[in-house]
Amino acid sequence: MNDVQFQEFCRIFEDIFAKNRISEYDTPENRQKFAILAEYLIEESQKYNLTALCSMDKIIPLHFADCVIAAKYIPTGAKVLDVGCGGGFPTLPLAIVRPDITVYGLDSTAKKLGFINSAAQQLQISNVCTLTGRAEELVCDRRENFDIVISRAVARLNILSELCLPFVKVGGSFIALKGSAGAEELAEAQKGIKILGGRVEKTEKYDIFTCVGEEKRVNIIICKQSTTPTAYPRQFGAIKKKPL
Ligand code: SAH
C-alpha cells in the first residue's frame, strides 16, 4: 500500500470506527495492522475463495468494525474460540484490538486457517491459534475449555448452539453475532439452548454504520449455566436433520 492508499484507508477507518463508537481501538498501531490485514485479504482473495468483500469501503465496516464491536463482551485475559472463523472473522480483529486475550480460530477449511496463520505472522501478533476440523468432531478434546465461544455467519442459531455450547466452560459465554434474523432464530433455538446448559443473558440489537448506510445486527449472549450432556453435539447430519 502506498502513502496515498494508506491515507485513504485511514480516512475510512477513522470515520467508520467513530460512527460505530469503537474509536478507543483507533490507535496508530491498530491502523497499521488493519491496513496490512486488508491489503493481504484483498491480495489472497484473488487467488482463492476467502471473502466476498474485496474493497476497503466494505472490508473496514463489514469485517473490521463488525467484529471489533464484539470486543466489549470479552473479559480480560479470556481464552476465546471462534467457531467457523473462515478467513479470520472475528478471530483476527479481536486478536489485534485485544492483546490480553488468546483467540483460537476453528474451521474445517485448512486453506483459510493457513491465511490466518500467515496474517498473524505479518501482523506480529502471537495471541492467535488455529484448529482445523469440524466443530462437532474437535469438541472431544476441548469440551468446556473456553471462557468465550463466538461465531459469525456459520449456521442458524438452533444448529450453531449445539456446535458451540459444548466448548464453553460453565460460567463462560457463547456469543452469536447475527444479522436481522437473530431474534427469529433465537425463538426457534430457545429449547435447545436450555438442553445444552445455556441461558440467554441478553440480546443486543443495533445498526452497524457502513460507508453507504446502516445494517441491522443482533448479538445474542448466552451464558453457560450447567454442563452440556455428553450426548451433544451429535453428528452433523443429525444436528441438521433434527435441530434441538
Ligand atoms: N466467520 C467467518 C466465516 C463465515 S463462512 C465470517 O464471518 O466471515 C462459514 C465458515 O464456517 C466456513 O469457513 C466453513 O468452513 C465453516 N464451518 C461451517 N460449519 C462448520 C463446522 N461444523 N465445523 C467447522 N467449521 C465449519
Side-chain angles (χ1 to χ4, degrees):
M1 198 180 285
N2 62 33
D3 278 358
V4 175
Q5 288 165 326
F6 183 64
Q7 292 311 322
E8 174 64 2
F9 174 88
C10 289
R11 191 187 60 74
I12 304 172
F13 190 89
E14 182 177 14
D15 178 51
I16 292 294
F17 272 50
K19 280 186 181 145
N20 287 293
R21 298 197 204 91
I22 45 174
S23 290
E24 66 185 288
Y25 299 115
D26 179 8
T27 63
E29 198 189 330
N30 285 350
R31 281 189 191 188
Q32 287 283 353
K33 288 196 160 82
F34 279 109
I36 292 169
L37 178 58
E39 192 175 33
Y40 188 44
L41 189 64
I42 292 171
E43 189 184 307
E44 291 298 295
S45 295
Q46 284 157 7
K47 300 184 197 157
Y48 56 100
N49 175 23
L50 198 53
T51 174
L53 309 176
C54 285
S55 61
M56 295 297 179
D57 60 347
K58 290 214 168 88
I59 289 173
I60 294 169
L62 298 173
H63 276 331
F64 296 170
D66 196 38
C67 294
V68 168
I69 286 172
K72 63 177 178 218
Y73 302 123
I74 302 177
T76 305
K79 183 176 176 186
V80 179
L81 176 70
D82 177 7
V83 170
C85 61
F89 299 99
T91 294
L92 288 167
L94 290 177
I96 291 172
V97 302
R98 291 288 304 273
D100 60 296
I101 64 173
T102 306
V103 192
Y104 290 73
L106 181 157
D107 205 282
S108 51
T109 309
K111 208 165 187 178
K112 293 181 180 177
L113 299 181
F115 170 82
I116 295 178
N117 287 324
S118 74
Q121 215 169 12
Q122 288 187 41
L123 298 168
Q124 296 180 303
I125 54 173
S126 54
N127 57 339
V128 173
C129 306
T130 51
L131 300 170
T132 316
R134 296 198 57 92
E136 65 277 16
E137 289 163 13
L138 293 182
V139 74
C140 58
D141 299 332
R142 296 174 189 271
R143 236 181 144 77
E144 317 213 312
N145 208 257
F146 295 89
D147 302 303
I148 299 286
V149 177
I150 194 163
S151 187
R152 187 183 83 151
V154 173
R156 281 184 80 85
L157 191 61
N158 56 358
I159 293 175
L160 193 64
S161 299
E162 189 166 343
L163 297 178
C164 292
L165 272 167
F167 284 105
V168 186
K169 279 182 194 166
V170 172
S173 305
F174 161 42
I175 299 160
L177 307 178
K178 291 285 177 185
S180 55
E184 185 192 310
E185 288 186 32
L186 178 57
E188 108 195 324
Q190 285 278 12
K191 197 176 115 231
I193 290 169
K194 212 170 158 189
I195 295 172
L196 295 161
R199 182 178 54 81
V200 181
E201 189 181 309
K202 69 176 166 193
T203 302
E204 230 171 39
K205 288 188 191 175
Y206 59 96
D207 291 327
I208 170 142
F209 292 89
T210 70
C211 294
V212 289
E214 289 147 43
E215 286 189 18
K216 299 258 172 254
R217 292 288 186 270
V218 180
N219 293 343
I220 301 162
I221 320 299
I222 296 165
C223 63
K224 180 95 171 241
Q225 252 187 335
S226 54
T227 303
T228 301
T230 50
Y232 307 109
R234 296 163 291 164
Q235 289 194 342
F236 192 70
I239 299 175
K240 203 167 171 214
K241 198 166 157 206
K242 215 166 179 267
L244 287 173

